Amino acid sequence: MDIRILKYFVTVVEEGSITKAAKRLNMSQPPLSKQMKQLEEEMGVILFIRGKKNIQLTQAGSFFKTRAEEIISSVDALERQIKEYRDGNKGRIIIGAVEAVATNYLPEILNAFRRKYEDITFEIWSGSTDDILKKLDKGVIDVGFIRNAFDENKYNSFELLQDSWGALISKQHKLAEDGKEYITADMLLGEPLVIPSTPGRVNELQKWFGQAGIEPNVLYNYNVFAIGEALVKEKLGIALVLADYRKAEMEPYLIYKKLRPELKSSVNVLWSKNYYLTEPASRLVEFIMNEIE
């Protein structure tokens, strides 16, 4: 199957019309329509239901679109990696990083790296750990920065740093005014809590509370820090956050206190064992391992 036909198919789906897709592809409508019909015959299934103005995907067509996009992404990644292998110190690195790392640590790392390799450019993608691992598996990104556990058989990795958990509290809350620099599990007994929604983070916190024999009163979950911060601002609860969010202490209405006993979470740098690591990406990995403390 020609990758060009897969790209035609995805364009037809995006445009919702063979006529519109043909215009976008700078080709006439009859040849494109014929190629889509031949694709259906080759696959042995109906991919579209053709209406007077628009096409509608069948269930088989929806599945085919997902797989076609994955194949196109992998081919595009391969072409890019070969080009960057040829270019050496030049090229582009695609990075996937969880929100906290992307906003708090990555800029400093890339700033230092670009002082040494100024001809290398970057594309930075932020998402959940699961999303980043899927993109690594498909070869869509070169290097990932995550917190959660991962399959060590599938990825090369090293630990970048360990960060501590803490509590983000409204300054008007009694726990912000008790003069203590830390928060224990028993101090949070019965308090409405705001915690991350990521399963790995939930498990870490549940274990921390469990060691103290405390059942946490979790009322809210957040997938981005801004949500947790907003809930604390409205005095809806106490947010449990990682220390890389301590910038929130700059807010006049919030205070950050570390958990006691200390709870830490690792930030790991990963790259897939199934894909060639481009020369620019190799340089970034080597730089972080040797020069970032």
Side-chain angles (χ1 to χ4, degrees):
M1 183 185 301
D2 191 336
I3 187 69
R4 176 176 53 92
I5 302 301
L6 292 182
K7 291 182 177 180
Y8 286 174
F9 170 79
V10 171
T11 302
V12 169
V13 175
E14 289 175 347
E15 292 295 330
S17 161
I18 292 179
T19 301
K20 291 179 181 178
K23 184 176 181 180
R24 176 174 153 187
L25 293 165
N26 295 315
M27 61 189 298
S28 60
Q29 185 270 335
L32 181 58
S33 182
K34 182 179 179 181
Q35 287 178 331
M36 292 300 98
K37 191 66 178 175
Q38 289 174 341
L39 178 62
E40 288 180 316
E41 291 172 357
E42 183 180 350
M43 294 295 100
V45 293
I46 300 298
L47 301 173
F48 309 114
I49 297 174
R50 292 160 174 78
K52 290 183 178 180
K53 294 184 178 181
N54 298 303
I55 59 98
Q56 194 170 21
L57 281 178
T58 62
Q59 186 173 358
S62 181
F63 172 76
F64 188 81
K65 173 180 177 289
T66 300
R67 297 295 294 146
E69 289 174 331
E70 290 175 353
I71 292 169
I72 292 168
S73 293
S74 294
V75 171
D76 289 345
L78 176 61
E79 291 175 348
R80 177 181 59 81
Q81 289 165 349
I82 291 299
K83 179 180 181 298
E84 287 164 2
Y85 175 80
R86 184 180 66 241
D87 290 344
N89 286 347
K90 297 181 179 180
R92 189 171 184 82
I93 304 172
I94 302 181
I95 296 172
V98 293
E99 179 204 9
V101 177
T103 56
N104 293 287
Y105 298 120
L106 197 55
E108 184 178 348
I109 291 171
L110 297 185
N111 185 34
F113 179 75
R114 274 192 48 78
R115 287 198 291 269
K116 189 172 183 179
Y117 300 104
E118 59 185 22
D119 290 331
I120 294 176
T121 60
F122 302 87
E123 179 178 337
I124 301 170
W125 186 91
S126 183
S128 70
T129 291
D130 286 345
D131 290 336
I132 291 167
L133 293 179
K134 287 177 183 177
K135 288 186 179 294
L136 281 172
D137 291 343
K138 295 174 185 176
V140 176
I141 62 176
D142 301 309
V143 182
F145 293 76
I146 69 166
R147 287 191 180 279
N148 289 35
F150 57 91
D151 186 349
E152 296 182 2
N153 294 318
K154 294 175 63 177
Y155 310 100
N156 296 302
S157 67
F158 62 91
E159 185 179 273
L160 176 63
L161 57 90
Q162 284 198 337
D163 218 343
S164 299
W165 282 88
L168 197 61
I169 310 167
S170 167
K171 283 190 175 179
Q172 297 180 19
H173 194 284
K174 61 183 180 181
L175 290 177
E177 301 173 344
D178 63 4
K180 295 180 179 178
E181 297 180 354
Y182 60 86
I183 291 288
T184 62
D186 62 323
M187 292 165 68
L188 294 173
L189 180 63
E191 293 285 348
L193 299 179
V194 183
I195 72 170
S197 56
T198 311
R201 304 285 75 78
V202 172
N203 291 339
E204 288 181 58
L205 292 170
Q206 289 282 2
K207 185 179 294 186
W208 183 78
F209 278 105
Q211 290 172 346
I214 301 293
E215 181 65 32
N217 179 32
V218 179
L219 296 190
Y220 308 95
N221 292 91
Y222 64 87
N223 69 327
V224 292
F225 172 70
I227 296 173
E229 183 183 37
L231 292 170
V232 177
K233 287 179 185 178
E234 292 298 318
K235 306 180 186 65
L236 294 174
I238 295 173
L240 300 185
V241 301
L242 285 155
D244 47 20
Y245 291 127
R246 55 184 171 268
K247 61 183 181 180
E249 288 185 279
M250 297 167 57
E251 300 287 356
Y253 33 73
L254 300 177
I255 187 169
Y256 173 89
K257 294 188 178 187
K258 280 190 176 183
L259 300 186
R260 181 179 290 182
E262 191 172 31
L263 175 62
K264 291 194 172 184
S265 180
S266 297
V267 172
N268 295 291
V269 181
L270 286 76
W271 61 101
S272 175
K273 291 182 178 180
N274 295 324
Y275 288 92
Y276 164 78
L277 194 62
T278 67
E279 186 65 21
S282 295
R283 293 183 185 277
L284 176 63
V285 168
E286 182 180 359
F287 178 83
I288 296 172
M289 291 178 70
N290 296 329
E291 301 191 38
I292 300 296
E293 296 182 358

